[in-house]
Amino acid sequence: MVRHVRCGSFFSGAGETASRDSTLCIDDAGLVTYAGPTATAPVAASTDTVLDYSGLFVMPGLQDVHTHLAYGNAKSEEDIDLYQPLEFRAIRGLFFAQKVVAAGYTSICAPGDAGQVSLSVRNAIAWGMFPGPRVTAAGRYLTTRQGLTDWYPTWIGVPDTSIGRLVTTKDEAIEEIRVQVKNGVDCIKLAMDGTQTRPDGELIAAFNQDETTTMVQEAHRLGRKVVVHAVGREATLYAARAGVDLIFHAYHLDDECLDAMLASGSAIGPTMTFQRNIIDFTQPHEPAGIKGRPSQVERLYEIACVNLQKARKAGVPMMTGTDTGFAVTPYGEWHALELELFVRDLGFTPGEALRCATSVTAGFMAGGDRLGVLEPGRFADFIAVDGSPLDNITLLQDKTRIRHVHIRGERMQIPDRDYDPRQVTDRSLANWTELYTQEHVAALRLRRPMGRAAA
Ligand SMILES: [Zn+2]
């Protein structure tokens, strides 16, 4: 049985424009056998299925290269690392992965997660146990004392339930990469910097060049891609020189970084959505608001836009991702905001942004050479949208516009189940954000019981 999909507008993912009156044919294996004008399409047999999407815009399923399945919409690092057992996080990750596919995202990369959460979710979906997106899975981030995920004091260390794996020597790093590959990860995640700076304010690279190159070579030798977190210039430079496949953020890149990226073929996943949402959503009473994070991030965002536009002009491949999994980036909610930011703040056309979110981002995914473009021989992972994202890139954020989501030709039908975040995520032990001295209590005019005002 062949499935014939009649498309109102058809965007293949290979170019930047759409064509009208097209047909997509899909075989039993879920592979595209024909994608082109309806006039020259194979004629549907009586036993074939015909899907009439002639009022809709059909395009490859969207791809988010930065969705953390283990985080659970976390409000704090402790939420991420401590409060739920790994087994629960895997079940929760599957639940949330389904919210992502319902939003039109047929492939995600989970770059850095606790335990083996992401690869378990990946397998449960890939082996047909549950509907969900394709998952490209990493294990724990490899980090050092200066890297992301080594949050807690040295006398506590990095707990086993953390998303990080602290490595203190090159040998330990190599061993960890080999263990993760044995367990079945698709890619290795390195924390190339964190939050520590030199006195002059420059972010410190967590690994030196030699260590970075050694880890990347070993991961590549084992046939696995490498993705890094690198906000600062130094971390970006070491990563690009070592030939990592994908650099998240790269906000402080300079010409030397750009040359290294162009020489080694590293792509950038800017992940603007997370930063934008911190700026736009954080309220003054929240811990991040009290710490002044929105204004710090806003300055960083402005620098990032200037530098990333240079990278776009230089031809560095840009992949779409959101850092979904935090309270400001809940699953299934803001993935397509990244495309709007690519257009508004990085200078891409809507057609280019769509191509970034499909064929370009597929370039990092496991088995990506059969994803991201609707053409014969590739998987029929596609969405049907009410309206043209080429005319209005923001409509991809409107869940009511994502009418149908198909993976391997099969239509995903995900019930939109509600959940109580206080039960599934929020376990933080923090209770107060202010210090109630006599002076502060008086300033707030707080009342004591019996109606007695504070002094
Ligand atoms: Zn991330």
Side-chain angles (χ1 to χ4, degrees), residues 391-409:
D391 296 335
N392 178 5
I393 197 71
T394 68
L395 60 80
L396 290 171
Q397 294 166 55
D398 179 352
K399 283 181 264 185
T400 66
R401 297 276 195 157
I402 310 294
R403 288 295 172 81
H404 310 286
V405 181
H406 290 250
I407 293 182
R408 280 180 174 240

Side-chain angles (χ1 to χ4, degrees), residues 174-213:
I174 296 289
E175 167 64 5
E176 178 62 20
I177 290 168
R178 290 175 182 168
V179 166
Q180 290 193 7
V181 170
K182 179 174 180 181
N183 288 341
V185 298
D186 298 301
C187 58
I188 299 293
K189 173 77 175 277
L190 309 179
M192 278 302 300
D193 56 18
T195 56
Q196 289 198 28
T197 53
R198 297 204 178 79
D200 67 0
E202 176 160 18
L203 271 169
I204 299 169
F207 294 99
N208 64 31
Q209 183 69 68
D210 176 46
E211 291 162 342
T212 309
T213 302

Side-chain angles (χ1 to χ4, degrees), residues 102 169 198 301 358 366 375 443 447:
T169 65
R198 297 204 178 79
Y301 193 92
T358 53
E375 65 181 16
R447 289 193 170 273

Side-chain angles (χ1 to χ4, degrees), residues 66-68 71 111-112 141 148 189 229 248-249 271 323-324 326:
H66 202 161
T67 289
H68 292 288
Y71 290 16
Y141 300 54
L148 212 65
K189 173 77 175 277
H229 169 99
F248 285 149
H249 311 301
T271 318
D323 238 327
T324 282
F326 290 94

